[in-house]
Amino acid sequence: MFSRQVFRTVRAAAPQRAVTLRATPVRSFAAAAAASTESQPPIAVFGLDGTYASALYTAAAKSSTLEPTAKAISTLNALVEKDPKLDQILHTPSLTAKDKSAVVAELAKQAGAGAGAETVKNFLDTLAENNRLGLLKDVCVKFGDIMRASRGEVELKVTSAQPLDNKTLSRLEAAISKSQYVGQGKKLKVTNEVNPDVIGGLVVEVGDRTIDLSVSSRIAKMNKLLNDAL
């Protein structure tokens, strides 16, 4: 849970400030992460969040802290997802330098990171100095994409109306791993997301491909056919 003291400090100060963002020179995090070929991200990710994610990967690769950094970034992503108040604070444009320092310190504490602590702290400091803390969640997501590519993983997300048991997920994994949707030598990373709206059946997402076998999809198609016929 994010520190209540940080929430109180920012909430008490925020209403009294005008929204004035000073143009901050881009800190040389990316420059410090200027890399050899071995430390370059295995895939290109785009947008400003992608730029930060790529720089973070390069910095972690150069310092040989990719795995602890990835674990810390995953922790931060989960933290922001579960805490709407934290996300609101990160998007507050009127944070002072003191506020940002407090937020970064708490985020770094929550992330842990062990051997990657310095890399993660430098990354958070860079976001704060450039008024980009609001990008944290998006950067975490794209960093995750880069890490999966570096590990040779392909994400398999199975959406169902109710949780699937391990036996069913294993059978799906075995079947899809042999399909054209997974490249040779790639490893599947399986997650099961529950969404009652699918009613029944499954929605299978492999990488950037989607196979919709849900009952809700069939009903939608049937309704379209009926509407077209009338």
Side-chain angles (χ1 to χ4, degrees), residues 17-40:
R17 300 185 192 112
V19 179
T20 54
L21 296 183
R22 186 165 51 85
T24 307
V26 176
R27 192 165 178 253
S28 57
F29 181 71
S36 61
T37 304
E38 291 77 12
S39 56
Q40 289 289 340

Side-chain angles (χ1 to χ4, degrees), residues 5 24 144 159:
Q5 181 60 39
T24 307
T159 304

Side-chain angles (χ1 to χ4, degrees), residues 82-125:
K82 293 177 182 177
D83 198 335
K85 289 183 179 179
L86 171 58
D87 190 50
Q88 184 178 359
I89 284 179
L90 295 177
H91 283 87
T92 301
S94 54
L95 294 178
T96 65
K98 184 178 179 180
D99 292 336
K100 293 173 187 176
S101 179
V103 170
V104 166
E106 187 68 20
L107 287 171
K109 178 182 176 182
Q110 296 283 344
E118 183 178 356
T119 300
V120 173
K121 178 66 163 54
N122 288 341
F123 158 66
L124 292 171
D125 281 337

Side-chain angles (χ1 to χ4, degrees), residues 216-228:
S216 61
S217 174
R218 296 174 195 169
I219 291 174
K221 290 177 182 176
M222 188 180 299
N223 285 338
K224 185 177 185 306
L225 287 172
L226 288 172
N227 288 333
D228 289 346

